[in-house]
Amino acid sequence: MRVFEKLGHDPLYLRGALLVLGAGATWSIAGIMIRNIDAASGWQILFYRSLGFTATLLVVLIHRTRGRVPAAIRAAGPTGVVGGLCLAFAFITNIFSLLNTSVASAVFMQSTQVFFGAVLGWLILREEVRPAVWLAMVGALAGVALMVGDGIADGTLFGNLLALLTGLGVAGLAVSLRWGHAVDMLPAVLFGGIFTAIGSGLLADSMIVSRHDLILALAMGVIQIGIGFIAFTAGSRHVPAAELTLLALSEVVFAPIWVWIGVGEVPSALTLAGGAILIGAVVALVLAGARRPPAQAYRKVG
């Protein structure tokens, strides 16, 4: 298959793809970590997670730029700020979706980032969206409709809709990273942590949490999203926006497994059916992408 020819002949693409796959696997532990929080509110989790995340990103950025952090931030420019705002939006909706619906529903709904990424990449970056993508979107919408219906029935509609918005936020970040791929866009991810910390700090009723919750939230910031987004940002320089969000779907594979093993959370039959349809649409998109010539992988419209 030609996709493997591309992987074999393009080491930069291969490295980027592996980094993004690893990022998705790291993000997948969010659900099990959230389920082990004792009493901290969503805003408290966001605040301390963002502190750990921001500190991790600063250390990496200082090392990568050899102390020239202000110059790196200036190079990222307004695109970096937009990417940071998209990421902060995704962070907030993600945490509250996990608190208001099952982990399986949340990650299935968030997988719509693939299609949001394709559409935004087409509208903003002028990256080609093939007919197969539009057809896959129709199938994906059917899966989303089933999960929304399930959410209405069991009272988790709010969490499902927040998860859908998380997919939009992640796609916005992916497009921003692709827009600024000529420079180091790690500052955009740093902005996301800073914006989230400021917003959640202002909205939290109190900063007092148990030692258990504090350690867990900080660990989420350093490991779950810190390491994950470092890998995601590095990989984004060599992978188109639509494929970037697609490869990150390794999160969808692992996240429901961790909560099933760890806390016995089993998704409903309707959620599994909707998720299967949605992921089936993504798989169809992958298979269609595997048949296109390698030269078309980065072709732009216009």
Side-chain angles (χ1 to χ4, degrees):
M1 293 168 63
R2 286 172 176 168
V3 68
F4 297 112
E5 293 177 14
K6 178 182 176 183
L7 289 173
H9 293 29
D10 189 347
L12 289 178
Y13 178 88
L14 175 58
R15 184 174 68 179
L18 290 175
L19 283 168
V20 177
L21 282 169
T26 305
W27 292 334
S28 71
I29 64 175
I32 187 63
M33 297 184 84
I34 288 290
R35 292 296 184 264
N36 280 283
I37 291 287
D38 287 335
S41 70
W43 294 118
Q44 289 171 330
I45 296 169
L46 278 165
F47 178 74
Y48 288 110
R49 189 180 77 158
S50 297
L51 288 186
F53 175 67
T54 302
T56 302
L57 265 291
L58 269 177
V59 170
V60 172
L61 195 57
I62 289 170
H63 173 73
R64 183 179 292 184
T65 64
R66 298 181 180 178
R68 293 189 290 271
V69 175
I73 291 175
R74 286 194 298 271
T79 304
V81 175
V82 172
L85 289 171
C86 290
L87 181 56
F89 177 77
F91 278 165
I92 293 169
T93 54
N94 171 251
I95 288 295
F96 283 99
S97 70
L98 290 171
L99 292 172
N100 287 279
T101 191
S102 70
V103 171
S105 292
V107 295
F108 284 146
M109 293 292 261
Q110 289 168 26
S111 66
T112 54
Q113 65 195 41
V114 174
F115 305 108
F116 284 130
V119 172
L120 290 178
W122 171 59
L123 291 173
I124 299 171
L125 303 179
R126 307 306 296 165
E127 291 182 341
E128 181 185 25
V129 178
R130 295 165 291 113
V133 177
W134 299 114
L135 289 174
M137 286 183 192
V138 175
L141 285 174
V144 169
L146 276 179
M147 287 186 285
V148 167
D150 189 41
I152 293 173
D154 64 12
T156 60
L157 176 62
F158 179 63
N160 287 352
L161 293 179
L162 286 176
L164 196 64
L165 291 176
T166 302
L168 178 60
V170 173
L173 171 67
V175 171
S176 298
L177 295 178
R178 285 296 297 162
W179 182 279
H181 72 280
V183 299
D184 188 351
M185 288 299 289
L186 194 60
V189 183
L190 176 65
F191 286 145
I194 293 172
F195 295 155
T196 307
I198 293 172
S200 56
L202 292 173
L203 292 169
D205 293 333
S206 168
M207 292 294 101
I208 300 173
V209 296
S210 68
R211 179 181 299 179
H212 172 271
D213 287 356
L214 174 62
I215 292 173
L216 202 54
L218 288 173
M220 289 177 68
V222 174
I223 300 170
Q224 185 255 325
I225 55 173
I227 293 175
F229 270 99
I230 290 167
F232 184 77
T233 306
S236 73
R237 300 187 70 179
H238 310 294
V239 180
E243 294 177 34
L244 191 62
T245 51
L246 178 63
L247 290 166
L249 286 179
S250 54
E251 177 185 9
V252 177
V253 176
F254 293 111
I257 296 175
W258 304 144
V259 292
W260 173 57
I261 295 174
V263 295
E265 181 176 299
V266 181
S268 69
L270 201 56
T271 292
L272 288 175
I277 293 172
L278 179 54
I279 300 304
V282 173
V283 170
L285 181 58
V286 174
L287 294 176
R291 290 194 294 270
R292 58 181 170 156
Q296 291 183 358
Y298 296 92
R299 187 161 66 87
K300 307 290 181 69
V301 174

